[in-house]
Amino acid sequence: VARLLHNSYGKSRVRLTKVTRRDDRHDLTELSVDIELEGDFEATYTEGDNRKVVATDSMKNTVYVLAREHGIESIEAFALHLARHFVERYDQVEAATVHIAQDAWLRAEVDGRPHPTTFIGGSREKRTCTVSHTRGATLVEAGIEDLLVLKTTDSAFEDFVSDEFRTLPDAADRILATSVTARWTYDADDHDWNECFGRVRAAMLEVFARHFSRSVQETLHLMGSAALEACPHAAEITLELPNSHRIPFNLSPFGLDNPNAIFVPTDEPFGLITGTLTRD
Amino acid sequence: VARLLHNSYGKSRVRLTKVTRRDDRHDLTELSVDIELEGDFEATYTEGDNRKVVATDSMKNTVYVLAREHGIESIEAFALHLARHFVERYDQVEAATVHIAQDAWLRAEVDGRPHPTTFIGGSREKRTCTVSHTRGATLVEAGIEDLLVLKTTDSAFEDFVSDEFRTLPDAADRILATSVTARWTYDADDHDWNECFGRVRAAMLEVFARHFSRSVQETLHLMGSAALEACPHAAEITLELPNSHRIPFNLSPFGLDNPNAIFVPTDEPFGLITGTLTRD
Amino acid sequence: VARLLHNSYGKSRVRLTKVTRRDDRHDLTELSVDIELEGDFEATYTEGDNRKVVATDSMKNTVYVLAREHGIESIEAFALHLARHFVERYDQVEAATVHIAQDAWLRAEVDGRPHPTTFIGGSREKRTCTVSHTRGATLVEAGIEDLLVLKTTDSAFEDFVSDEFRTLPDAADRILATSVTARWTYDADDHDWNECFGRVRAAMLEVFARHFSRSVQETLHLMGSAALEACPHAAEITLELPNSHRIPFNLSPFGLDNPNAIFVPTDEPFGLITGTLTRD
Amino acid sequence: VARLLHNSYGKSRVRLTKVTRRDDRHDLTELSVDIELEGDFEATYTEGDNRKVVATDSMKNTVYVLAREHGIESIEAFALHLARHFVERYDQVEAATVHIAQDAWLRAEVDGRPHPTTFIGGSREKRTCTVSHTRGATLVEAGIEDLLVLKTTDSAFEDFVSDEFRTLPDAADRILATSVTARWTYDADDHDWNECFGRVRAAMLEVFARHFSRSVQETLHLMGSAALEACPHAAEITLELPNSHRIPFNLSPFGLDNPNAIFVPTDEPFGLITGTLTRD
């Protein structure tokens, strides 16, 4: 009665620390890799026949072997290596998708100078990428997750729908805080990934700081536009901006005013604004 | 240069406790609602014009108002109410997607008898649904998340690809543990949702317990087939089965054998097996 | 200038799955062990001299070895084995503290009958114990963590301090929800641990369900008293009861009443009530 | 039969955002407050008599009111205000303990210059303090949590106990990574808290970077000594250093060497090294 319409399998959360030992300093890369394969695997689903199945444990081994053999110049380059490897090495693999998230380690400063072999944990922000590779095509997507930003002014939310379900007042000057998730596709599979990433990130931060926001939606649109302008190789960008509400605490029961000074940060519920921008 | 290709916005993690006070007992429902709207909202993105924007705070209010007015017979019925409300109430809304996750509270037993007004926290398992409603169409999807199951025998993984990346030995008798995520679509928007849910869940559990698994893929296929068979209204089912590895601890350095008795449970990395089954 | 006043070290989160294969069924135990040693270890702190240091990796190995050799009749018995082992095996160890938390797996029911080799994840509730063993003395403490309970009625909070900081109204009938943490000491190191645990847990649940609560503090006192009464070997019990607030949603702006039916569950901030009871 | 030996209650996770609007810039403080009171509260436990109970909701209100009235120069100063308030305002309160954890927000840089009103999320690191105040005495404790640091060289672990439970080889050059938790007491209740905090943190980081570590224990001792030396007002310091293992991946099955380049970061199990240092 049932037919297998789609299937895939892989290994997730393969964590890797890579130390590159140079003469004057060490470099540190820490990341987590997810691998997903599609192909001629129906027999294991329908008959328990595993002869074409590459064990997910072998996928895990492959991550460490390729990291040793090729290094990790950027997560995009490493994901391309991995995705191509699986498609080229195994006839039964038709498509490989490799997602990588990189942790933010910073070089420690000691006495005001960067230390050659000591690192300090950075923010929650992660640099991400997803490479999808088939025999015919390759798609490289880069991204940012959990980039927390907050502006204490130059944000309003006014003149929205007033009806029987509304209790929220207009706000002419509110705190705007969000945790940016951005993902953008590239127009080719060979760019200076690190430079493009830096440009997109800087452009989004600059616009976030400098514009006057009349809605999170407007902020999203401006950030996305700035990103596409900053990197001509970025083809399309999707942003997800949760509204990390800071709610003014009502001090009037205590005979005090609240001149936009005291807020309650809340995690839930939260607004979630999304949008995808492309080039015209 | 940039064009807004797609946009949506909404409120996530609207949490709700509903108590229904009957003569002989109280019933308890606890859930979390996510709402997402699509429609004529481009002006707020491109011009900061909010006149058509229904505040996400108003969406939150709506959840509590409709819960009071309609009750919550099932999460599917409540999601249908909500999704239809947003599309019917606001001309600018073209599509509403409502996702609900319900926590597992159990009636407490006291002296071996169910207590009328006391509840005890159930497992991590959540019952979920997603209703997508536009002016033309309605799609109801139901699901389960985080259903942990484990079998101590009747699971093997053998005869898979042997190559230079493999180090994992064949296993003729291993522990199979997973955290089931399942989502299935319905063929209509009016069924006995609670009964269908119960049948699908029971069928998947029964097959998990009774079959001999030659791969997680085979287990997935059997569970999905059983689900479709158990509920004739389920049209298509997608399963995601992480392989929650229990790795035999090597006791030979200590002069001991390990007769499939002592294992190390690990959270990462983990295999992830997915598949979608449909009716033939 | 600085003197080492106190030191200890150990291994945390040693996770273990134990399967006991009986003729008619398998039993499953899953737990996480923390070990902490104190003793003559000052040289490694002050001089980097490791000759007396038992590696935390060796402690981890010891958990698996002793689980194989002794089995796990109860977490208390296993913790006693481990704690005594470290003190007896190593002259430099003066005290060993072993903490164990056991996950709640339930035997799966298939067609209404318990299945011999299939298990289903239970609630978040954990059974815990801490054994402290020195050459002179042994202390066994048992406990429960994350036992979620909720009563929909028979709970009030009234007539508390009214002053300029109060905005909370009296509540004559509110929801009382909490996540019980309890820890009790035993008067000796040799009891039927499983039986005592069951009695204490049942007594606390029964009193939670049946009493009328005028404050979380009163609930705590009644639960603690019932626990000491249920198990004559329990010497002293400490309870921590977070007040997992369910706040009535104000429906009056929408022209609706709220007859104690619609609540918002919140995670933070939360009240936290603690108390320790002993025998008179 | 049961006697109440000890009791306390309070409010946890009271979250607060404070914006100070200066002419040339805004300052941002975000923190979470826990309050715990002890005193004459036995009647609510034993008789449900709440007349002396200050609602935890009122404690929450007090946090926002005092933040408005006094500002937050440092978390230590704010915790002192709060703790003294509860003891002085309510006769029935004998002791108040206030714990505060401050989130790490950084001023955003735009075009290489600090932006006056935009902030970016910092690391997971939290600055903490605990103030304990009774009618007779005040104790101020400051601290750091979740400060992630990693050194890629100058760390070894050799010559530790070799016995039948050991499988870990000596390591002459390993990665040392930890998440520092430190708490130190002050010798008085009136210091420049921000300056002391800065000195202690910088001293610990410097020593972590520069020393050669023969054990995590030695690292702890050196960090604690440096902290006490850096701040003459710090009386006693306790450090907890989890060993966040980076395990060399064995590449020999794949015909490759691993010159200290490729590691697997693991979260569990983990070593945990603790120590308390005081002045001689």
Side-chain angles (χ1 to χ4, degrees):
Chain A
V1 56
R3 184 166 51 87
L4 187 63
L5 192 66
H6 178 265
N7 71 82
S8 72
Y9 80 107
K11 198 77 162 187
S12 293
R13 294 285 302 163
V14 180
R15 292 175 62 188
L16 166 66
T17 304
K18 175 98 169 64
V19 178
T20 309
R21 296 168 192 272
R22 305 183 196 283
D23 286 349
D24 61 334
R25 69 178 197 280
H26 293 177
D27 291 334
L28 175 70
T29 306
E30 228 166 54
L31 41 81
S32 172
V33 181
D34 301 338
I35 295 161
E36 187 186 6
L37 303 185
E38 292 166 81
D40 181 12
F41 297 114
E42 198 157 317
T44 181
Y45 285 84
T46 56
E47 295 164 59
D49 176 344
N50 299 323
R51 283 175 297 170
K52 290 187 173 169
V53 176
V54 181
T56 66
D57 191 72
S58 302
M59 298 181 199
K60 177 207 73 185
N61 289 339
T62 305
V63 170
Y64 298 106
V65 167
L66 268 65
R68 172 75 184 105
E69 289 179 341
H70 296 283
I72 303 176
E73 202 196 318
S74 67
I75 55 172
E76 291 86 353
F78 187 48
L80 277 162
H81 266 306
L82 279 164
R84 285 171 176 150
H85 166 84
F86 288 109
V87 173
E88 283 162 23
R89 178 70 184 73
Y90 303 103
D91 286 345
Q92 65 272 41
V93 174
E94 281 153 27
T97 303
V98 175
H99 175 76
I100 301 184
Q102 181 174 10
D103 287 317
W105 283 99
L106 307 173
R107 196 171 290 278
E109 299 231 334
V110 176
D111 263 348
R113 283 214 304 268
H115 192 274
T117 60
T118 305
F119 298 85
I120 186 164
S123 74
R124 246 154 286 214
E125 181 184 348
K126 289 187 191 299
R127 176 173 168 183
T128 63
C129 76
T130 304
V131 168
S132 306
H133 181 69
T134 65
R135 285 183 207 286
T138 304
L139 181 67
V140 179
E141 191 182 75
I144 293 178
E145 278 176 21
D146 296 329
L147 166 58
L148 267 64
V149 285
L150 181 153
K151 20 189 316 149
T152 53
T153 189
D154 288 343
S155 166
F157 186 52
E158 298 177 294
D159 300 324
F160 50 90
V161 169
S162 269
D163 66 2
E164 70 274 25
F165 294 101
R166 172 171 171 182
T167 53
L168 187 73
D170 274 8
D173 188 8
R174 62 171 184 172
I175 290 182
L176 174 57
T178 189
S179 169
V180 179
T181 297
R183 284 184 299 274
W184 57 95
T185 55
Y186 283 110
D187 58 6
D189 62 1
D190 186 14
H191 287 304
D192 184 334
W193 307 115
N194 292 333
E195 197 213 338
C196 293
F197 178 85
R199 285 184 181 212
V200 166
R201 185 181 181 280
M204 293 197 298
L205 275 181
E206 181 172 339
V207 114
F208 180 84
R210 291 198 168 156
H211 81 299
F212 185 96
S213 167
R214 287 172 294 187
S215 65
V216 180
Q217 286 89 336
E218 188 181 30
T219 298
L220 183 151
H221 192 261
L222 289 169
M223 289 173 74
S225 301
L228 292 185
E229 209 163 318
C231 171
H233 307 304
E236 200 173 292
I237 184 166
T238 295
L239 284 147
E240 295 174 14
L241 300 187
N243 195 344
S244 304
H245 307 290
R246 263 70 180 171
I247 300 168
F249 188 80
N250 179 16
L251 288 165
S252 61
F254 316 101
L256 295 168
D257 65 342
N258 185 355
N260 240 349
I262 306 287
F263 303 83
V264 184
T266 59
D267 287 343
E268 56 184 25
F270 61 91
L272 182 58
I273 315 300
T274 67
T276 300
L277 283 79
T278 190
R279 293 182 183 280
D280 234 348
Chain B
V1 56
R3 185 166 51 87
L4 187 63
L5 192 66
H6 178 264
N7 71 81
S8 73
Y9 80 106
K11 198 75 162 189
S12 293
R13 295 285 301 161
V14 180
R15 294 174 60 187
L16 166 67
T17 304
K18 176 100 169 63
V19 177
T20 308
R21 294 167 194 274
R22 306 183 195 282
D23 285 350
D24 60 336
R25 69 177 198 282
H26 292 178
D27 291 334
L28 174 71
T29 306
E30 226 165 54
L31 42 81
S32 172
V33 181
D34 302 337
I35 295 161
E36 188 186 5
L37 302 185
E38 291 166 82
D40 181 13
F41 297 114
E42 197 157 317
T44 181
Y45 285 84
T46 57
E47 297 165 57
D49 177 344
N50 298 323
R51 284 175 298 172
K52 291 187 173 167
V53 176
V54 181
T56 65
D57 191 73
S58 303
M59 298 181 199
K60 176 207 71 182
N61 289 339
T62 304
V63 170
Y64 298 107
V65 167
L66 268 66
R68 172 75 183 103
E69 289 179 342
H70 297 281
I72 303 176
E73 202 197 317
S74 67
I75 54 172
E76 290 86 353
F78 186 48
L80 278 162
H81 267 305
L82 278 164
R84 285 170 176 152
H85 165 86
F86 288 109
V87 173
E88 283 161 23
R89 177 69 185 73
Y90 302 104
D91 287 344
Q92 66 269 43
V93 174
E94 281 152 27
T97 304
V98 175
H99 175 77
I100 301 184
Q102 181 173 10
D103 287 317
W105 283 99
L106 307 173
R107 196 170 291 277
E109 300 232 331
V110 176
D111 264 347
R113 283 214 303 268
H115 192 273
T117 60
T118 305
F119 299 84
I120 186 165
S123 75
R124 245 154 288 215
E125 181 184 348
K126 288 187 190 301
R127 176 172 169 184
T128 64
C129 74
T130 303
V131 168
S132 307
H133 180 69
T134 65
R135 286 182 206 288
T138 304
L139 181 66
V140 179
E141 192 182 77
I144 293 177
E145 278 176 22
D146 296 328
L147 167 58
L148 267 63
V149 284
L150 181 153
K151 35 196 294 157
T152 52
T153 190
D154 287 342
S155 166
F157 186 51
E158 299 177 294
D159 300 323
F160 49 91
V161 170
S162 269
D163 65 3
E164 70 274 24
F165 294 100
R166 173 172 169 181
T167 53
L168 188 73
D170 274 9
D173 188 7
R174 61 171 185 173
I175 292 182
L176 175 56
T178 189
S179 169
V180 178
T181 297
R183 285 185 297 274
W184 57 95
T185 54
Y186 283 109
D187 59 5
D189 60 2
D190 186 16
H191 286 304
D192 184 334
W193 308 114
N194 293 333
E195 196 212 339
C196 292
F197 177 85
R199 285 182 180 215
V200 168
R201 184 181 182 280
M204 293 198 300
L205 275 181
E206 179 172 341
V207 114
F208 179 84
R210 293 199 168 156
H211 82 299
F212 185 96
S213 167
R214 286 171 294 185
S215 65
V216 180
Q217 285 89 337
E218 188 180 31
T219 298
L220 183 151
H221 192 261
L222 290 169
M223 289 173 74
S225 301
L228 292 185
E229 209 162 321
C231 170
H233 307 303
E236 199 172 293
I237 184 164
T238 294
L239 284 148
E240 295 174 14
L241 300 187
N243 195 342
S244 305
H245 308 290
R246 264 68 180 171
I247 300 169
F249 189 79
N250 179 14
L251 287 165
S252 62
F254 315 101
L256 295 168
D257 65 341
N258 186 353
N260 240 349
I262 307 286
F263 303 83
V264 185
T266 59
D267 288 342
E268 54 183 27
F270 61 92
L272 182 59
I273 315 301
T274 68
T276 300
L277 282 79
T278 189
R279 290 183 185 282
D280 233 350
Chain C
V1 56
R3 185 166 51 88
L4 188 63
L5 192 67
H6 178 264
N7 71 81
S8 73
Y9 80 106
K11 198 74 161 190
S12 293
R13 296 284 302 160
V14 180
R15 293 174 61 186
L16 166 67
T17 304
K18 175 100 168 63
V19 178
T20 309
R21 295 166 194 274
R22 305 183 195 282
D23 285 349
D24 60 336
R25 68 178 197 280
H26 292 178
D27 291 334
L28 175 70
T29 307
E30 226 165 54
L31 42 81
S32 172
V33 181
D34 302 337
I35 296 161
E36 188 186 4
L37 303 185
E38 291 167 82
D40 180 12
F41 297 115
E42 198 157 316
T44 180
Y45 286 84
T46 56
E47 297 165 56
D49 177 343
N50 298 324
R51 284 174 298 172
K52 291 187 174 168
V53 175
V54 180
T56 65
D57 191 74
S58 302
M59 298 181 199
K60 176 206 72 184
N61 289 339
T62 304
V63 170
Y64 298 107
V65 167
L66 268 65
R68 173 74 183 103
E69 288 179 342
H70 296 281
I72 303 176
E73 202 196 317
S74 67
I75 55 172
E76 290 86 354
F78 186 48
L80 278 162
H81 266 305
L82 278 163
R84 286 170 176 152
H85 166 85
F86 288 110
V87 173
E88 283 162 23
R89 178 69 184 74
Y90 303 104
D91 287 344
Q92 66 270 43
V93 174
E94 281 153 26
T97 304
V98 176
H99 175 77
I100 301 184
Q102 181 173 10
D103 287 317
W105 282 99
L106 307 173
R107 197 170 291 278
E109 300 232 332
V110 176
D111 263 346
R113 283 215 303 268
H115 193 272
T117 60
T118 304
F119 299 84
I120 187 164
S123 75
R124 245 154 289 215
E125 181 183 348
K126 288 187 191 300
R127 176 173 169 183
T128 63
C129 75
T130 304
V131 169
S132 306
H133 180 69
T134 65
R135 285 182 208 287
T138 303
L139 180 68
V140 179
E141 191 182 78
I144 293 178
E145 279 177 23
D146 296 328
L147 166 58
L148 267 64
V149 285
L150 182 152
K151 37 196 290 159
T152 53
T153 190
D154 287 343
S155 166
F157 185 51
E158 298 178 294
D159 300 324
F160 49 92
V161 170
S162 268
D163 65 3
E164 69 273 25
F165 293 100
R166 173 172 169 182
T167 53
L168 188 74
D170 274 8
D173 188 8
R174 62 171 184 173
I175 292 182
L176 174 57
T178 190
S179 170
V180 178
T181 298
R183 285 185 298 272
W184 56 95
T185 55
Y186 283 110
D187 59 5
D189 60 1
D190 186 16
H191 287 303
D192 184 334
W193 308 114
N194 293 333
E195 196 212 340
C196 292
F197 177 86
R199 284 182 181 216
V200 167
R201 184 181 182 280
M204 293 198 299
L205 275 181
E206 179 172 341
V207 114
F208 179 85
R210 291 198 170 156
H211 81 300
F212 185 96
S213 167
R214 286 171 294 185
S215 65
V216 180
Q217 285 89 335
E218 188 180 31
T219 298
L220 183 150
H221 191 262
L222 290 169
M223 289 172 74
S225 301
L228 292 185
E229 209 162 321
C231 171
H233 308 303
E236 197 173 294
I237 184 165
T238 294
L239 284 147
E240 295 175 13
L241 300 187
N243 195 342
S244 305
H245 308 291
R246 265 67 180 172
I247 300 168
F249 188 80
N250 178 15
L251 287 165
S252 62
F254 316 100
L256 296 168
D257 65 342
N258 186 353
N260 240 349
I262 307 285
F263 303 83
V264 185
T266 60
D267 288 342
E268 53 182 27
F270 61 92
L272 182 58
I273 315 301
T274 67
T276 299
L277 283 79
T278 190
R279 292 182 185 281
D280 233 349
Chain D
V1 57
R3 184 167 50 87
L4 187 63
L5 191 67
H6 178 264
N7 71 82
S8 72
Y9 80 106
K11 197 76 162 188
S12 292
R13 294 284 302 163
V14 180
R15 292 175 62 187
L16 166 66
T17 305
K18 174 97 169 64
V19 178
T20 310
R21 295 167 192 272
R22 305 184 195 282
D23 286 348
D24 61 334
R25 69 177 198 282
H26 292 177
D27 291 335
L28 175 70
T29 306
E30 227 165 54
L31 40 81
S32 172
V33 181
D34 302 338
I35 295 161
E36 188 186 5
L37 303 185
E38 292 166 81
D40 180 12
F41 297 115
E42 198 158 316
T44 181
Y45 285 84
T46 56
E47 296 164 57
D49 176 345
N50 299 324
R51 283 175 298 169
K52 291 187 173 169
V53 175
V54 180
T56 65
D57 192 73
S58 302
M59 298 182 200
K60 176 207 73 185
N61 289 340
T62 304
V63 170
Y64 297 107
V65 167
L66 268 65
R68 172 76 183 103
E69 289 179 341
H70 296 282
I72 303 176
E73 202 196 318
S74 67
I75 54 172
E76 290 86 353
F78 186 48
L80 278 161
H81 266 306
L82 279 164
R84 286 171 175 150
H85 166 85
F86 287 109
V87 174
E88 284 162 22
R89 178 70 185 71
Y90 302 104
D91 287 344
Q92 66 271 42
V93 174
E94 281 153 28
T97 303
V98 176
H99 174 77
I100 302 185
Q102 180 173 12
D103 287 317
W105 282 99
L106 306 173
R107 196 171 289 279
E109 299 232 334
V110 176
D111 264 347
R113 284 215 302 268
H115 193 273
T117 59
T118 306
F119 298 85
I120 186 165
S123 74
R124 247 154 286 214
E125 180 185 348
K126 289 188 192 298
R127 177 173 167 182
T128 63
C129 76
T130 304
V131 168
S132 306
H133 181 69
T134 65
R135 287 184 205 286
T138 303
L139 180 67
V140 179
E141 191 182 76
I144 293 177
E145 278 176 21
D146 295 329
L147 166 58
L148 267 63
V149 284
L150 181 153
K151 29 193 303 155
T152 53
T153 189
D154 287 344
S155 166
F157 186 51
E158 298 177 295
D159 300 324
F160 50 89
V161 169
S162 269
D163 66 3
E164 70 273 25
F165 294 101
R166 172 171 170 182
T167 52
L168 188 73
D170 275 9
D173 187 9
R174 62 172 185 173
I175 291 182
L176 174 58
T178 189
S179 170
V180 178
T181 297
R183 284 185 299 273
W184 57 95
T185 54
Y186 283 110
D187 58 6
D189 61 0
D190 186 15
H191 287 303
D192 184 334
W193 307 114
N194 293 333
E195 197 212 339
C196 293
F197 177 85
R199 284 183 183 214
V200 167
R201 185 181 182 279
M204 293 197 298
L205 275 181
E206 182 172 339
V207 113
F208 180 83
R210 291 198 169 155
H211 81 298
F212 185 96
S213 166
R214 286 172 295 187
S215 66
V216 180
Q217 285 89 336
E218 187 180 31
T219 298
L220 183 151
H221 192 260
L222 289 169
M223 290 173 73
S225 301
L228 292 185
E229 208 163 321
C231 172
H233 308 303
E236 200 172 292
I237 184 164
T238 294
L239 285 148
E240 295 174 13
L241 300 187
N243 195 344
S244 305
H245 307 290
R246 264 69 181 170
I247 300 168
F249 188 80
N250 179 16
L251 287 166
S252 61
F254 315 101
L256 295 168
D257 65 342
N258 185 355
N260 239 349
I262 306 286
F263 303 83
V264 185
T266 58
D267 288 343
E268 56 184 25
F270 61 92
L272 182 58
I273 315 300
T274 68
T276 300
L277 283 80
T278 190
R279 292 182 185 280
D280 234 348

